[in-house]
Amino acid sequence: MLLTGKKIVVIGGSSGIGLSTAEVAKSEGADVIIASRNAARLDAIAEKLNAIAIPTDVTDDTSVANLFRSTGPVDHVVVTAAQLRTGPFRTVSMEDVRGTMESKFWGAWRVARTAEFRAGGSLTLVSGFLSVRPRPNSAIVSAVNAALESLSRALALELAPVRVNCVSPGIIDTPIRAAMPEMLAKAAASLPVGRVGQGEDVARQIVACMTNGFMTASTIYLDGGALAT
């Protein structure tokens, strides 16, 4: 198995892409630690996966510091955690704009600055397709995703030899989007692959970022071919 004996921290690991990543990493032999703000859900998922749960708020310096004080040196870290709030550019509140940046961008920054990596370690950030295919009413999400992709390239230099990469998913059938079947069907019909993504699709790519020792400063657009349409 690809990750036997490796200690992996998945921040945002209680749902969606983070949960899928924790599941795939576990199936590949990793010792998995999942972190999330939702302590109750986190504990239930950790019990199911036979993983360690550490409640963590990425918007809080002390909380992130406590996470990595508890884990000690790790092999791989994945950050999927984000609390996104958006709306029309002219009317979205600055509180929501700042909250989105605080969670997704500064959260990743805190993690990258605090984690202690073993030799051969990696950090994988997760952005999103709006970085290159913006949509109305989503300017702040587009901006934060693009910022994460730029940050990953800069950190590949600053943190070397730790490898830093970014995965940018397209439309993924997560629990949040499961309530929008018409939107998912329309998106699937527009893609060359004929379907939207699943959490495991993204998780497999994240594991590839962990295990490919020649891969750093890369952003992978995993969108079912949307960029070609």
Side-chain angles (χ1 to χ4, degrees), residues 64-89:
V64 174
N66 288 340
L67 167 64
F68 289 107
R69 189 176 298 114
S70 298
T71 65
V74 300
D75 294 289
H76 305 289
V77 176
V78 181
V79 186
T80 69
Q83 298 291 320
L84 303 180
R85 288 170 272 177
T86 189
F89 175 75

Side-chain angles (χ1 to χ4, degrees), residues 17-35:
I17 291 170
L19 173 56
S20 294
T21 300
E23 290 172 338
V24 172
K26 193 70 178 179
S27 74
E28 292 291 348
D31 297 322
V32 175
I33 299 161
I34 55 174

Side-chain angles (χ1 to χ4, degrees), residues 5-7 31 71-76 116-122 162:
K6 301 297 184 182
K7 186 191 294 187
D31 297 322
T71 65
V74 300
D75 294 289
H76 305 289
E116 181 181 351
F117 294 89
R118 294 169 174 167
S122 76
V162 174

Side-chain angles (χ1 to χ4, degrees), residues 139-160:
I140 183 57
V141 180
S142 298
V144 75
N145 285 343
L148 275 179
E149 293 170 14
S150 180
L151 178 65
S152 69
R153 292 188 290 272
L155 292 181
L157 301 179
E158 294 257 3
L159 299 182

Side-chain angles (χ1 to χ4, degrees), residues 8-26 32-49 51-56 58 67 77-83 126 175 203 206:
I8 295 175
V9 180
V10 183
I11 301 169
S14 67
S15 64
I17 291 170
L19 173 56
S20 294
T21 300
E23 290 172 338
V24 172
K26 193 70 178 179
V32 175
I33 299 161
I34 55 174
S36 172
R37 294 174 66 179
N38 190 323
R41 184 168 62 190
L42 187 69
D43 287 340
I45 294 297
E47 183 176 357
K48 180 181 176 181
L49 290 180
I52 295 171
I54 303 178
T56 303
V58 296
L67 167 64
V77 176
V78 181
V79 186
T80 69
Q83 298 291 320
V126 177
I206 291 171

